[in-house]
Each structure stands twice: as structure tokens, then as C-alpha cells.
Amino acid sequence: MACNVVVLISGSGSNLQALIDSAADDGNPARIAAVISNRADAYGLQRAQNAGIATVVLDHKQFDSREAFDAALIQAIDAHRPDLVVLAGFMRILTGDFVRHYQGRLLNIHPSLLPRYKGLHTHQRALEAGDAEHGCSVHFVTEELDGGPLVVQAVLPVAAGDTIETLAQRVHAEEHRIYPLAVRWFAEGRLRLGAQGAMLDGQPLPASGHLIRT
């Protein structure tokens, strides 16, 4: 059984490309049914079109409120009968109504080792704090910003000479590895959101999620 996935983007779509490439793997039940962007100039739309995936542009500036935009977004997503909705650089804070509508089938990726550095400028903050390790996290989305149950984290060492740019580049490479992994787990029925948090193969994941060290 294919697992219908709708991906939301706002920008270049490099994580989207990793998901497109992964969905082409033999035996992967994840099928990207549509890509939706709130920006018409998002390069990720071109990536989707190149792969023959339906695209939708829904400009948030055309709506009077966040609630009105999210209601229209729900309609656009549900037209593709999604089993899973994936946020891949979607630069919008979502309303509680939206998050509740997709509870247990909404994933996000964040460029830090959550719960550290929720929000923006994560690489700069990790360097300023003198952290020995940094990375990225895939989590189920809840109403708490960047606060849902963790699924998988990639952990990498911070090098002595790292800049924001070099650190961001290495974290991006890990994002492209762990996001397709989490989506495939969900598509295969292995990953679920339970009452106690994220579950993999019927077992609760630790609070930190599944850790992958590089």
C-alpha cells in the first residue's frame, strides 16, 4: 500500500529533493502526492515539477488572517488524501486548528538537537554556546513550537574551525539523510505517535528519539 505524502515548502526544497530521491528507492511505500508552497518563487516547486509531482501555490499574503490561510491550506492538502504531511522548510507558524487536524501525521525537521535551540539561528547559537555537538532533529508536530515528540536526531561534532556556514552545510547533509528515513518508517507503518510519544516498531522511542552519530 502506498503512503500518500504531501510536502509543504517555502524555499529551495533541498530536503524535498532528498525525499523525492528516497521515494524512488525500491520498496519504499512513500509516494509524494503533491508539493504545496506559500511562495510562488520557491525553487522547490521546480524540483517537484521535474519529478512529475503536482504543485500548488497558496500565497499567505492573499489571506486576512493566519486562521483563514490555514483553513485554505487544509483544503488544498486534503484534496490529495494525505496519510502524512511533511514540513520541509515551510516558514509559517501553524495554528492549533491546523496542527490538531493532522495530529499524528505531521512531521517537521529542525536544524538543532532539540530541545536545544528552538526557533531560528540555530547554528550561530550552537557556536556561541561553545557546544561540542550539534545536529538536526525530526519530530512530530504539536502545538508547542519545535516541541513535539522526537523521532530521530543526527548528532555531529562541532569542529574547532567551524563557521556558521560550514556547520550549516554539514547539518544539511544530515537532514537529507534522516528526513527520508523517518518518512519511510512512517510509510512502512513502523513509526506512529502514541499516547506516550513517538513509537517505532511498537516500542516507545527515548525522549531524544533514535540517535544517529556521525
Side-chain angles (χ1 to χ4, degrees):
M1 280 283 289
C3 172
N4 267 359
V5 180
V6 172
V7 183
L8 306 187
I9 64 166
S10 296
S12 72
S14 65
N15 270 307
L16 168 65
Q17 189 64 57
L19 293 169
I20 290 170
D21 294 345
S22 171
D25 291 346
D26 283 347
N28 189 346
R31 173 188 169 271
I32 302 175
V35 171
I36 300 176
S37 175
N38 64 314
R39 296 177 58 99
D41 61 351
Y43 181 66
L45 293 167
Q46 187 64 52
R47 294 181 190 270
Q49 288 158 10
N50 291 347
I53 297 167
T55 59
V56 179
V57 175
L58 200 63
D59 184 352
H60 61 275
K61 296 192 290 293
Q62 303 298 316
F63 294 84
D64 293 337
S65 67
R66 196 180 296 279
E67 289 74 17
F69 173 75
D70 279 11
L73 184 58
I74 286 171
Q75 277 196 316
I77 294 168
D78 284 355
H80 296 280
R81 303 169 62 90
D83 300 297
L84 177 65
V85 179
V86 172
L87 306 178
F90 188 61
M91 303 306 288
R92 298 280 302 164
I93 294 175
L94 298 162
T95 59
D97 283 349
F98 183 95
V99 172
R100 285 189 294 273
H101 184 78
Y102 295 109
Q103 184 171 3
R105 53 193 181 119
L106 184 61
L107 290 177
N108 183 46
I109 193 158
H110 184 75
S112 78
L113 296 174
L114 291 171
R116 286 187 202 170
Y117 312 130
K118 298 177 181 182
L120 302 174
H121 311 301
T122 59
H123 311 307
Q124 178 182 339
R125 289 155 71 190
L127 288 172
E128 287 174 351
D131 290 351
E133 292 182 325
H134 188 46
C136 48
S137 310
V138 177
H139 64 96
F140 281 104
V141 177
T142 63
E143 291 180 66
E144 181 188 351
L145 180 67
D146 298 330
L150 289 162
V151 174
V152 56
Q153 296 195 106
V155 184
L156 51 85
V158 177
D162 262 331
T163 63
I164 293 170
E165 291 73 23
T166 60
L167 191 54
Q169 194 170 17
R170 298 211 321 281
V171 170
H172 275 143
E174 294 307 310
E175 289 181 21
H176 300 162
R177 194 156 69 109
I178 67 170
Y179 216 3
L181 178 65
V183 169
R184 182 161 184 165
W185 283 346
F186 188 96
E188 291 173 342
R190 298 177 58 195
L191 174 65
R192 288 291 176 263
L193 181 60
Q196 305 304 313
M199 311 273 293
L200 184 63
D201 296 330
Q203 299 297 314
L205 280 162
S208 59
H210 179 80
L211 290 181
I212 296 176
R213 294 186 176 273
T214 60

